[in-house]
Amino acid sequence: MENFDFRNPTKIVFGKGTESRVGAETAAYSKKILLHYGSGSIKASGLYGRVTASLKAAGVEWTELGGVVPNPRLSLVREGVRLCKEKGIGLVLAVGGGSVIDSAKAIAMGAVIDGDVWDFYLGKGEPKEALPVGTVLTIPAAGSESSTGTVITNDEGQLKRAVNSDLIYPRFSILNPELCFTLPRFQVACGAADIMAHLMERYFTTVRNVEFTDRLIEATMKTVARQVALVLADQKDYDAWADLMWAGTVAHNNLLNTGRIGDWASHDIEHEISGIYDVAHGAGLAVVFPAWMKHTLETDVDRFAQWAVRVWNVENDFRNPEAVAREGIRRLEAFFRSMGLGTKLGDLKVGTDRLDEMAGKCVGGGRGTVGNFVKLNRAAVRKILELAL
Ligand code: NZQ
Ligand code: ZN
């Protein structure tokens, strides 16, 4: 196991009706906030009304900025930064999914600097401070509600890039599983695929003797697979949503990669796909991950076989671990398909014409390679994209 520091400072407020506490949680930081949300789901569901009532009761004044889209855009972030500076905002409250939260985190970093926040996403400098961010989460998926990450798409250049900083851990995140009842089935599936991907990115490591976190990750994967089937069968199954929502947060709050080094190549490759084709992140991962596995299998067949046996209940065969591992990959693909997701680039309407461009952009920025389990160069990324055809 590697040495590690672990601290996740996000306060989680979990359970039925907990959005009524948003005013009090917010007021502890500021009474002048930016209320940030997406394209209307929170108004249709009535959540907007409950959140604003709670803010009002706590004496919090807000300026609104809606309109965040999946794969959140830099142009709206810049508008948010402008509003925060103009109004002297003290906290950014995100009500929605990972896209809204990521946009809020970007605004929080941009509001306290004179320069352009996009520079951080290009790796030019690091944030030194940020406004506090709070969230009311409406979809178990990205894990942004207690992560250091923000992923933004620059409208010009079709570039989707991430920043990671301890400064943008949300100060609090309110998780009411009842808010998931209104999710479209496609978003449920994309969210579960993303959670599964966060677990697999951590699971496939070259670090040895990490049995404890192996077991935690395996348990979380099994939980996600079971609970998503239950919520797809009955969208009002509160208990299944509660498990799925909490699993989604724990999958990405860094507890499960303590002592390990995660891979993250599949995420980097997927970000190139959604940067250009604007596909849902989870749908992209359902295509990239099986292809990545087929390409990297030989690096550590035993680890893949262990995963297949422990997570997907494949019968063990010590004489032929590769067959066991390949059956695990087949079951992962079947899991994605059982939720209605495709596992081929064609399912995303992605053709063959820009594979090379995506591979080049993916390993660009001076990195030269992506991934840690296996370091992938441009040719290897292209090969993985071809395996996904
Ligand atoms: O915009 P609204 O109207 O709210 O609709 C959203 C959106 O269309 C809808 N939705 C969300 N909650 C709902 C709901 N509809 C009905 N009822 C509800 N309760 O679902 C759609 C998708 O929302 P989005 O926020 O895009 O989903 P998700 O949480 O999957 O976020 C995806 C983004 O997160 C990034 C991804 O790259 C992608 O841009 N990621 C962020 C990470 C991080 N910050 O740590 C890590 C992840 O790996 C990921 O890269
Ligand atoms: Zn993800």
Side-chain angles (χ1 to χ4, degrees):
M1 197 194 292
E2 299 280 308
N3 290 356
F4 65 87
D5 288 9
F6 176 70
R7 175 173 172 268
N8 187 303
T10 303
K11 174 180 178 181
I12 302 292
V13 179
F14 193 97
K16 290 180 183 172
T18 44
E19 64 271 22
S20 65
R21 290 172 53 186
V22 68
E25 293 296 333
T26 302
Y29 295 94
S30 176
K31 293 209 165 180
K32 211 165 183 200
I33 69 159
L34 185 74
L35 174 56
H36 201 35
Y37 54 88
S39 304
S41 74
I42 69 161
K43 290 200 170 158
S45 68
L47 176 60
Y48 172 88
R50 298 197 297 281
V51 166
T52 50
S54 174
L55 293 174
K56 216 177 272 175
V60 176
E61 283 175 33
W62 68 91
T63 299
E64 285 193 23
L65 182 62
V68 180
V69 292
N71 300 317
R73 307 296 199 269
L74 179 61
S75 49
L76 194 72
V77 168
R78 288 187 172 139
E79 172 66 7
V81 168
R82 191 189 62 70
L83 279 172
C84 285
K85 288 179 176 172
E86 184 185 305
K87 309 267 182 187
I89 295 293
L91 175 142
V92 186
L93 179 64
V95 184
S99 296
V100 177
I101 300 171
D102 284 3
S103 184
K105 289 172 171 177
I107 293 169
M109 294 188 297
V112 295
I113 56 168
D114 293 329
D116 184 7
V117 71
W118 182 247
D119 282 347
F120 295 139
Y121 292 82
L122 293 177
K124 297 183 197 161
E126 284 178 8
K128 300 274 183 290
E129 55 176 328
L131 291 180
V133 171
T135 90
V136 179
L137 182 68
T138 61
I139 171 173
S144 188
E145 66 277 9
S146 73
S147 82
T148 54
T150 156
V151 191
I152 296 295
T153 299
N154 188 341
D155 330 39
E156 295 158 21
Q158 299 179 316
L159 270 186
K160 186 172 177 180
R161 290 289 177 264
V163 169
N164 279 285
S165 166
D166 285 0
L167 297 169
I168 52 174
Y169 272 118
R171 302 299 169 95
F172 63 86
S173 281
I174 294 180
L175 277 59
N176 174 0
E178 291 171 313
L179 301 181
C180 306
F181 292 177
T182 55
L183 271 168
R185 291 176 75 82
F186 175 67
Q187 293 299 340
V188 177
C190 288
D194 193 17
I195 297 169
M196 199 57 99
H198 295 162
L199 296 163
M200 296 189 297
E201 297 280 22
R202 290 172 166 90
Y203 194 78
F204 291 97
T205 182
T206 54
V207 179
R208 299 287 151 185
N209 303 315
V210 284
E211 180 70 12
F212 173 54
T213 42
D214 270 0
R215 292 292 190 179
L216 290 178
I217 298 172
E218 288 156 6
T220 315
M221 290 192 214
K222 287 174 89 84
T223 301
V224 170
R226 177 169 161 73
Q227 304 303 351
V228 75
L230 293 177
V231 303
L232 285 170
D234 173 5
Q235 269 216 235
K236 291 202 161 48
D237 185 339
Y238 177 87
D239 294 320
W241 275 120
D243 264 349
L244 190 58
M245 204 171 204
W246 186 222
T249 300
V250 173
H252 203 47
N253 75 355
N254 283 338
L255 172 69
L256 299 187
N257 53 271
T258 44
R260 319 168 66 95
I261 298 170
D263 182 67
W264 299 102
S266 298
H267 265 71
D268 284 334
I269 298 171
E270 194 292 318
H271 286 167
E272 298 309 328
I273 298 173
S274 47
I276 293 179
Y277 296 94
D278 199 19
V279 305
H281 174 61
L285 287 165
V287 169
V288 173
F289 236 111
W292 175 87
M293 290 181 156
K294 288 168 196 166
H295 183 78
T296 58
L297 182 66
E298 285 169 9
T299 308
D300 188 349
V301 175
D302 290 343
R303 176 153 283 275
F304 276 95
Q306 171 182 298
W307 167 78
V309 170
R310 292 185 185 173
V311 178
W312 300 108
N313 304 320
V314 178
E315 197 176 330
N316 209 351
D317 179 354
F318 292 110
R319 288 157 309 165
N320 196 351
E322 184 179 336
V324 174
R326 286 197 186 278
E327 176 59 17
I329 299 171
R330 205 192 59 71
R331 291 191 191 185
L332 175 70
E333 290 176 312
F335 165 67
F336 289 142
R337 281 197 294 271
S338 74
M339 299 190 293
L341 297 177
T343 53
K344 296 288 169 199
L345 281 173
D347 298 318
L348 305 175
K349 312 244 175 320
V350 174
T352 52
D353 51 327
R354 298 181 77 174
L355 300 188
D356 210 45
E357 177 190 343
M358 287 191 277
K361 279 163 92 177
C362 187
V363 300
R367 288 179 294 176
T369 62
V370 286
N372 294 307
F373 183 66
V374 182
K375 295 215 180 294
L376 304 169
N377 61 17
R378 180 181 185 146
V381 172
R382 182 172 170 128
K383 181 84 193 306
I384 289 169
L385 289 168
E386 282 168 3
L387 282 169
L389 285 171

